DNA sequence: TTGATACTTAAGTGAATGCTTAACTATCAG
DNA sequence: CTGATAGTTAAGCATTCACTTAAGTATCAA
């Protein structure tokens, strides 16, 4: 972690970036309830199919979504692994500050129950 | 969720966006182990203080970080709520596709153990 | 074969990002 | 008061983004 420089695109960058767009989150929401074609994904969205395809490309590049074409329809589905990696990163941060929070609580409880050795 | 249009910046947008930058993630990582001043945050980063301040502004706008100035030093700390909201969104998607996955598994198990009523 | 469907790709545009430099403004220590 | 410290703010710049329009290309159905 020391002196980390924002080198190329690491996986988490792309995943968070992909999820930062509400349109793409709607797409992920849809796909988490099951596979869908591109036009199915596009239906509730207020933009051209072309734009949706571009959003899909971002989702695929990030590894959040995978798709394959059969005939003329492309079927998309979520790639759980990547979403899990995102969840894990957040969970790790939380674990860290919760640990600290607990230590702090314990410390406070201690200095309050036996307040000897105080200088003031 | 139907016909949702990417109107103004909603909280999750800003949080995911903020986390999509590796520099900012390093800052959040640092802050999850405890409060820090701006220059402390800047120390491991290979960029000007000015840039760090700008990253900090993004983190604050997203609600991931809060800060207050005492004297000439600004102390920053994470705002757990927002990070939790991010975690929750991901967890909800996972819950959804896991539920579906389970149903699918159950269905497969059933058609395999008692394969009567098949048409082929 | 002829439409219609389901994408695909390229080019263009305005706005947002991630920096930098440069010039300031407040503390605090001696 | 006078530096040094700690941060702030504005302007500029190259890139990336989220679209759009427009012009394709493969299927599939009749």
């Amino acid at each position: 972690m020391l002196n980390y420089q924002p080198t190329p695109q690491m996986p988490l960058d792309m995943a968070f970036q992909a999820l930062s767009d509400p349109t793409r989150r709607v797409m992920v929401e849809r796909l988490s309830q099951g596979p869908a074609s591109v036009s199915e994904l596009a239906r509730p969205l207020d933009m051209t199919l072309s734009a949706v395809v571009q959003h899909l490309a971002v989702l695929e590049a990030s590894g959040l979504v995978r798709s394959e074409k059969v005939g003329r329809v492309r079927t998309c589905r979520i790639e759980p692994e990547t979403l899990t990696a995102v969840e894990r990163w957040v969970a790790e941060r939380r674990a860290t500050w919760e640990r600290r929070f607990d230590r702090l609580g314990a410390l406070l409880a201690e200095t309050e129950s036996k307040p000897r050795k105080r200088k003031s």
Side-chain angles (χ1 to χ4, degrees), chain A:
Chain A
M1 171 188 156
L2 270 188
N3 243 90
Y4 174 84
Q5 42 231 26
T7 14
Q9 275 300 60
M10 50 166 351
L12 272 185
D13 290 24
M14 306 189 71
F16 277 119
Q17 166 75 279
L19 293 174
S20 75
D21 185 286
T23 298
R24 285 190 297 258
R25 279 205 310 281
V26 167
M27 292 169 76
V28 169
E29 279 165 18
R30 170 63 189 76
L31 291 176
S32 60
Q33 21 195 133
S37 71
V38 177
S39 4
E40 266 172 325
L41 285 179
R43 191 133 42 228
L45 301 172
D46 195 17
M47 66 186 65
T48 61
L49 221 210
S50 175
V52 174
V53 170
Q54 286 169 67
H55 278 301
L56 180 60
V58 173
L59 286 169
E60 291 211 51
S62 76
L64 284 165
V65 167
R66 169 175 49 100
S67 80
E68 57 183 332
K69 198 165 182 175
V70 174
R72 57 183 166 169
V73 19
R74 175 174 297 278
T75 303
C76 315
R77 55 195 80 235
I78 37 163
E79 195 74 87
E81 297 281 329
T82 311
L83 209 51
T84 301
V86 168
E87 200 179 10
R88 188 163 45 243
W89 186 89
V90 178
E92 272 160 21
R93 297 319 123 213
R94 208 187 26 146
T96 306
W97 63 253
E98 267 174 5
R99 223 175 300 129
R100 176 174 55 89
F101 189 73
D102 290 349
R103 277 203 308 276
L104 191 67
L107 188 68
L108 284 181
E110 180 153 341
T111 49
E112 230 168 78
S113 58
K114 29 176 181 169
R116 50 202 166 134
K117 280 189 178 175
R118 293 270 292 300
K119 275 208 170 150
S120 70

